[in-house]
């Protein structure tokens, strides 16, 4: 029997949990009319919270309704890739090869596909014209564009996409756009001129799964793999994972590997350190990359003060970093914007990522040796 857990970024889980509101609203929107506000989505949240696999679920929902899915990523030259390869490939899939006559398909529409064959006749294709060509081949269905890692997108590319998309919406065409990225980067991009239209998209910030959802995933994934959880085992795993989707998969994976048949609380406690260390290298370290020293100092102060509590008072943190209150407020605001801390109640701060306090405390020891 193979380990059924998938602690891999971008890998869809064997058993899906939660996020029902987004999935249901999106399904309804796809089924609805052009211009439905929920056809334009921005999903943001921390690393490992489940943005990429959620985009994949949205793609599946659209595909089930017969929609065409165009997948893009902010890490590459997305407009060029869409215009020059992704969309032409879809058009070729849908349109019959030239020469064969099929009723119901406009041959003029195909002309622009092979612009290289008729130089000087067709204008240079744009994202908008390409999408119109593709939409022209569909009836009763539309086109969903998904953009992952949108925090890394080039601002010009993103505003280009925004303009083309808005153009199609204005003509009541069946299009949908779902974007996902890290909270901080998404905020930064949406503040730029040129992306105004995207600011009107429905925004969903992903938080942790509920304990019930985490439990359901753990139980359902392990079941049928030959190594089910016992009651205390699943309780311990839910507790350790703290609803954080990547940890749910990781804890499940490690506990499954270390168990000898049924996954017990003992199996889970044995893998705790491994899980927290892996979380450190896969999530904490990359999340702290590029965070300026003043903000790191603030985070370290929170880590020192928080102990085993849920949160700590921001005035205590301000005092610990030796800053005047308004300076500390500024740093705190930036960290809130990065999604690294939260304010669970007035005047309190807590970490968003589980085990970040442990990471910062152990990391400090390492730093001091240097
Ligand atoms: N709703 C969910 N149910 C079960 N597992 C999930 C869910 N969302 C995410 N995961 C798991 O969490 C991990 C991280 O998901 P991913 O989409 O790559 O995160 P992100 O893109 O936000 O960094 C993957 O192993 C994925 O299978
Ligand atoms: Mg991702």
């Amino acid at each position: 029997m193979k380990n059924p857990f998938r602690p891999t970024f971008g890998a869809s889980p064997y058993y899906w949990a939660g996020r029902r509101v987004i999935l249901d609203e999106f399904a309804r929107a796809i089924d609805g009319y052009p211009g439905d506000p929920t056809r334009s989505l921005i999903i943001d949240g921390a690393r490992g919270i489940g943005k990429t696999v959620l985009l994949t679920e949205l793609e599946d929902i659209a595909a089930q309704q017969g929609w065409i899915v165009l997948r893009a990523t902010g890490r590459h030259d997305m407009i060029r890739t869409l215009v020059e390869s992704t969309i032409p490939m879809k058009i070729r899939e849908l349109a019959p090869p030239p020469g064969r006559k099929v009723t119901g398909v406009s041959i003029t529409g195909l002309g622009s596909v092979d612009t290289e064959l008729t130089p000087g006749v067709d204008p240079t294709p744009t994202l908008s014209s390409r999408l119109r060509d593709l939409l022209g081949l569909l009836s009763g269905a539309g086109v969903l564009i998904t953009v992952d890692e949108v925090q890394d997108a080039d601002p010009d590319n993103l505003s280009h996409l925004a303009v083309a998309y808005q153009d199609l919406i204005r003509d009541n065409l069946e299009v949908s756009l779902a974007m996902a990225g890290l909270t901080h980067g998404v905020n930064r991009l949406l503040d730029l001129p040129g992306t105004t239209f995207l600011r009107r998209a429905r925004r969903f910030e992903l938080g942790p799964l509920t304990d019930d959802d985490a439990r359901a995933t753990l139980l359902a994934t392990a079941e049928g793999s030959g190594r089910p959880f016992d009651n205390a085992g699943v309780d311990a795993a839910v507790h350790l994972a703290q609803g954080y989707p990547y940890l749910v998969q990781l804890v499940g994976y490690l506990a499954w590997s270390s168990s000898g048949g049924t996954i017990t609380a003992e199996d889970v406690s044995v893998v705790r350190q491994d899980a927290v260390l892996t979380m450190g290298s896969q999530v904490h370290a990359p999340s702290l990359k590029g965070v300026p020293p003043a903000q790191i100092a603030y985070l370290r102060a929170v880590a020192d003060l928080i102990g085993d509590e849920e949160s700590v008072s921001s005035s205590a943190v301000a005092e610990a970093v030796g800053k005047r209150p308004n300076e500390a407020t500024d740093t705190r605001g930036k960290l809130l914007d990065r999604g690294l801390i939260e304010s669970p109640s007035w005047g309190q701060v807590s970490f968003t990522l589980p085990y970040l306090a442990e990471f910062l405390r152990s990391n400090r020891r390492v730093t001091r040796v240097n």
Side-chain angles (χ1 to χ4, degrees):
M1 277 277 172
K2 266 207 196 153
N3 195 319
F5 290 94
R6 306 189 76 188
T8 308
F9 294 102
S12 289
Y14 177 77
Y15 181 90
W16 177 265
R19 318 299 191 204
R20 274 293 22 128
V21 176
I22 306 177
L23 299 176
D24 292 346
E25 286 199 25
F26 184 73
R28 190 195 39 69
I30 288 294
D31 208 21
Y33 296 95
D36 186 309
T38 310
R39 284 190 178 184
S40 313
L41 301 181
I42 298 179
I43 296 150
D44 73 285
R47 204 175 298 276
I49 203 77
K51 301 177 295 298
T52 299
V53 298
L54 180 58
L55 275 188
T56 308
E57 291 295 302
L58 298 178
E59 290 174 349
D60 287 351
I61 288 171
Q64 274 161 25
Q65 310 257 11
W67 280 48
I68 298 294
V69 175
L70 303 174
R71 195 180 267 193
T73 161
R75 295 227 166 121
H76 299 289
D77 191 346
M78 63 179 171
I79 302 299
R80 220 178 118 180
T81 311
L82 282 167
V83 172
E84 292 180 9
S85 83
T86 318
I87 304 176
M89 256 154 64
K90 288 287 177 199
I91 291 176
R92 283 202 184 104
E93 271 170 42
L94 288 169
R100 239 207 287 161
K101 277 214 172 137
V102 171
T103 42
V105 176
S106 130
I107 301 298
T108 33
L110 292 175
S112 59
V113 180
D114 298 312
T115 39
E116 61 277 11
L117 299 177
T118 50
V121 176
D122 293 304
T124 312
T126 62
L127 181 58
S128 178
S129 75
R130 279 284 198 237
L131 286 167
R132 282 168 197 274
D133 290 342
L134 180 56
L135 286 158
L137 297 170
L138 304 172
S139 69
V143 172
L144 164 67
I145 304 171
T146 62
V147 185
D148 200 5
E149 311 292 0
V150 73
Q151 78 282 339
D152 291 338
D154 167 57
D156 289 340
N157 258 287
L158 200 61
S159 81
H160 192 139
L161 177 65
V163 169
Y165 182 67
Q166 181 173 19
D167 189 46
L168 300 173
I169 294 274
R170 207 186 270 156
D171 287 339
N172 268 319
L173 293 169
E174 300 274 7
V175 283
S176 173
L177 176 64
M179 295 172 287
L182 296 169
T183 307
H184 177 59
V186 169
N187 288 341
R188 189 176 44 77
L189 278 172
L190 294 183
D191 278 346
L192 297 172
T195 53
T196 322
F197 185 70
L198 299 181
R199 258 171 260 164
R200 291 185 216 133
R202 282 289 308 271
R203 182 101 181 239
F204 292 98
E205 179 165 1
L206 297 187
L209 300 172
T210 62
D211 280 354
D212 283 347
D213 282 335
R215 183 183 306 272
T217 309
L218 288 161
L219 287 173
T221 310
E223 201 180 283
S225 71
R227 297 185 194 175
F229 279 97
D230 70 16
N231 283 337
V234 75
D235 284 349
V238 167
H239 184 73
L240 183 56
Q242 302 204 19
Y244 194 78
Y246 173 72
L247 263 183
V248 170
Q249 297 295 328
L250 182 63
V251 167
Y253 183 90
L254 296 171
W256 192 96
S257 298
S258 79
S259 87
T262 299
I263 309 175
T264 63
E266 170 65 15
D267 294 324
V268 174
S269 86
V270 165
V271 303
R272 184 189 189 281
Q273 198 189 11
D274 198 359
V276 172
L277 284 175
T278 307
M279 179 80 179
S281 62
Q282 296 297 310
V283 175
H284 298 139
S287 300
L288 295 179
K289 223 174 125 198
V291 178
Q295 292 174 41
I296 295 286
Y298 190 100
L299 291 173
R300 287 197 194 287
V302 176
D304 287 341
L305 291 168
I306 204 163
D308 291 326
E309 300 297 317
E310 289 280 307
S311 67
V312 58
S313 94
S314 44
S315 54
V317 181
E319 201 182 304
V321 290
K323 286 260 182 77
R324 272 174 282 138
N326 60 330
E327 287 171 343
T329 306
D330 180 55
T331 306
R332 177 173 168 271
K334 286 179 175 149
L335 287 166
L336 286 166
D337 183 43
R338 280 185 188 274
L340 287 172
I341 59 170
E342 294 171 327
S343 181
S345 58
W346 175 255
Q348 293 289 115
V349 290
S350 61
F351 287 122
T352 313
L353 297 169
Y355 307 109
L356 182 60
E358 275 181 49
F359 179 79
L360 286 162
R361 290 193 291 248
S362 64
N363 193 241
R364 155 167 294 179
R365 286 197 292 275
V366 176
T367 322
R368 278 192 176 160
V369 176
N370 286 341

